[in-house]
């Protein structure tokens, strides 16, 4: 007791005294089912290829991808988002491997569905950037600009091919105007009303994508600022949200996650569909690099970053640590 009698009468520290107490009163909890594992599969390799800028992450072979999917199921992860990396010689201006039934992404979708069935949500990245020789997310016009409406035609075909290959969920990530409506119509036309759309509703033109470009063998020259969003803006994210919902999005996503927690919170506050956030390659690599230097506690930093994303409003989190963290939580 101080000379001021019983002051302070209210002591919040009483609820922080022991691990058991802190656990009991925790307002935000992570669960294995919160997580979706992004995974890369590369055509024409016999062993997994380490990604130098993403320690611990690889470009999978078909066999190692199936193993990773099975491990995700065992850990209790909800989904796996697949990115295909075709052989460089197969890329072209239209991104033909993206609609070829025998393209690496479609082959991988069939492999993973055969391995895990419905025990894991099998999701597919629906975008052209991995398959075009120019590295952009769409078809270019004669002036080298991304042609929105010509790209939508390619997305519609991609959606149908990915659904036929076994995708439970397609994830359109190219940020073309009208993409959700066109993809929904394309899926419904072939009787695939059961395939859900996870809309990349908020996708900023971020500097944190750098390591991802290595992961997918990107051929990009220039940038994507004419179609990805300006990091300075908030209202256009809410406008994109309204449009995607009107066009039939089943779930929406904010990407990146960590630098845009304010946007994530705004989106979660105003929508009644599930909200996901993508903890992208740069977010992953910064923590891994700092931990390798001994500058931060790796495990604590991972959990803290994921807790912050969920606290801001994400129901699901795409993270390269999905299986690792899910195992620890279980």
């Amino acid at each position: 007791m101080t000379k001021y009698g019983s002051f302070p009468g209210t002591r919040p520290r009483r609820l922080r005294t022991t691990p058991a107490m802190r656990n009991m009163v925790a307002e935000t909890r992570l669960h294995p089912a919160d997580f979706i594992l992004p995974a890369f599969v590369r055509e024409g390799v016999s062993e997994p290829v380490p990604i130098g800028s993403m320690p611990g992450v690889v470009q999978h072979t078909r066999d190692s991808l199936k193993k990773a999917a099975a491990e995700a199921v065992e850990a209790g992860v909800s989904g796996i988002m697949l990115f295909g990396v075709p052989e460089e010689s197969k890329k072209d201006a239209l991104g033909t491997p993206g609609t070829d039934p025998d393209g690496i992404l479609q082959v991988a979708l069939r492999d993973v569905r055969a391995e895990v069935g419905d025990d894991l949500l099998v999701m597919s990245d629906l975008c052209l950037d991995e398959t075009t020789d120019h590295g952009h997310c769409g078809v270019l016009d004669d002036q080298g600009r991304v042609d929105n409406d010509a790209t939508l035609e390619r997305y519609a075909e991609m959606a149908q091919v990915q659904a036929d290959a076994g995708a439970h969920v397609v994830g359109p990530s190219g940020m073309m105007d009208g993409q959700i409506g066109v993809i929904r119509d394309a899926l419904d036309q072939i009787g695939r009303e059961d395939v859900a759309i996870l809309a990349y509703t908020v996708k900023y033109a971020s500097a944190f994508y750098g390591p991802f470009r290595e992961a997918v063998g990107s051929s990009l020259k220039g940038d994507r600022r004419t179609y990805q969003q300006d990091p300075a803006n908030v209202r256009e994210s809410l406008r994109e949200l309204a449009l995607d919902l009107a066009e039939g999005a089943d779930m929406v996503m904010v990407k990146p996650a960590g630098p845009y927690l304010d946007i994530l919170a705004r989106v979660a506050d105003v929508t009644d569909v599930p909200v996901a956030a993508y903890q992208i390659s740069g977010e992953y690599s910064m923590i891994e690099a700092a931990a390798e230097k001994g500058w931060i506690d790796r495990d604590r930093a991972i959990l803290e970053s994921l807790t912050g994303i969920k606290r801001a409003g994400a129901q699901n989190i795409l993270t390269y640590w999905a299986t690792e963290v899910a195992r620890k939580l279980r």
Side-chain angles (χ1 to χ4, degrees):
M1 182 179 296
T2 72
K3 65 180 179 179
Y4 301 107
S6 61
F7 177 84
T10 302
R11 296 181 181 270
R13 286 182 58 190
R14 292 184 187 123
L15 301 184
R16 305 170 193 156
T17 52
T18 67
M21 177 66 80
R22 294 190 294 273
N23 187 54
M24 185 181 75
V25 302
E27 299 172 35
T28 305
R29 299 181 192 277
L30 295 171
H31 187 279
D34 296 337
F35 301 127
I36 297 166
L37 175 68
F40 308 100
V41 57
R42 179 171 169 178
E43 187 174 25
V45 295
S46 57
E47 298 289 338
V49 179
I51 300 168
S53 57
M54 299 179 69
V57 180
V58 301
Q59 294 172 326
H60 284 287
T61 67
R62 290 174 60 186
D63 285 340
S64 69
L65 177 65
K66 290 188 288 185
K67 180 180 178 182
E71 290 172 348
V73 172
E74 184 180 5
V77 170
S78 284
I80 186 168
M81 176 68 79
L82 301 185
F83 297 85
V85 184
E87 293 180 355
E88 194 69 27
S89 62
K90 295 183 179 180
K91 295 180 181 181
D92 59 24
L94 296 177
T96 299
T99 49
D100 181 353
D102 294 322
I104 183 58
L105 180 54
Q106 287 69 252
V107 170
L109 286 167
R110 291 194 292 270
D111 285 344
V112 174
R113 277 301 300 271
E115 182 73 22
V116 301
D118 293 332
D119 292 337
L120 185 70
L121 283 174
V122 180
M123 305 178 172
S124 55
D125 178 59
L126 200 165
C127 195
L128 289 170
D129 59 321
E130 295 98 342
T131 59
T132 54
D133 55 12
H134 49 72
H136 277 286
C137 297
V139 178
L140 303 185
D141 64 17
D142 57 7
Q143 297 183 52
R145 302 171 302 189
V146 175
D147 185 326
N148 192 93
D149 295 359
T151 299
L152 293 181
E153 295 182 17
R154 298 288 294 135
Y155 285 2
E157 187 178 353
M158 288 182 76
Q160 293 175 339
V161 170
Q162 291 177 0
D164 285 343
H168 293 105
V169 180
V170 295
S173 60
M175 295 302 291
M176 296 297 117
D177 294 339
Q179 63 184 13
I180 302 304
V182 167
I183 289 167
R184 184 71 271 160
D185 286 346
L187 291 169
D188 292 351
Q189 285 173 16
I190 61 169
R192 296 308 306 268
E193 296 88 354
D194 58 318
V195 175
I197 299 176
L198 170 58
Y200 283 62
T201 292
V202 180
K203 185 177 181 182
Y204 284 99
S206 173
F208 292 98
Y209 296 134
F212 181 88
R213 305 277 163 81
E214 178 188 353
V216 297
S218 175
S219 304
L220 180 67
K221 297 178 179 62
D223 58 53
R224 299 183 172 127
R225 295 182 185 180
T226 63
Y227 45 104
Q228 294 178 355
Q229 292 169 236
D230 185 342
N233 293 347
V234 176
R235 285 193 296 271
E236 71 172 334
S237 294
L238 300 179
R239 186 183 186 199
E240 293 277 5
L241 173 65
L243 289 168
D244 283 356
L245 293 175
E247 292 174 23
D250 299 289
M251 300 171 278
V252 296
M253 185 196 296
V254 174
K255 180 181 181 181
Y260 298 95
L261 295 181
D262 59 324
I263 308 300
L264 175 57
R266 291 283 292 273
V267 169
D269 282 345
V270 298
T271 185
D272 57 1
V273 302
V275 177
Y278 197 147
Q279 185 182 53
I280 66 169
S281 60
E283 298 175 72
Y284 172 93
S285 296
M286 286 192 300
I287 289 178
E288 289 287 354
E292 185 179 355
K293 292 284 190 180
W295 294 340
I296 59 173
D297 182 318
R298 177 183 181 275
D299 291 352
R300 286 186 61 194
I302 291 170
L303 289 175
E304 185 175 337
S305 68
L306 293 170
T307 299
I309 294 167
K310 187 170 184 184
R311 187 186 63 243
Q315 182 171 335
N316 297 106
I317 305 171
L318 287 85
T319 176
Y320 300 98
W321 290 303
T323 301
E324 176 187 341
V325 173
R327 284 171 172 161
K328 292 176 180 176
L329 293 174
R330 298 190 80 174

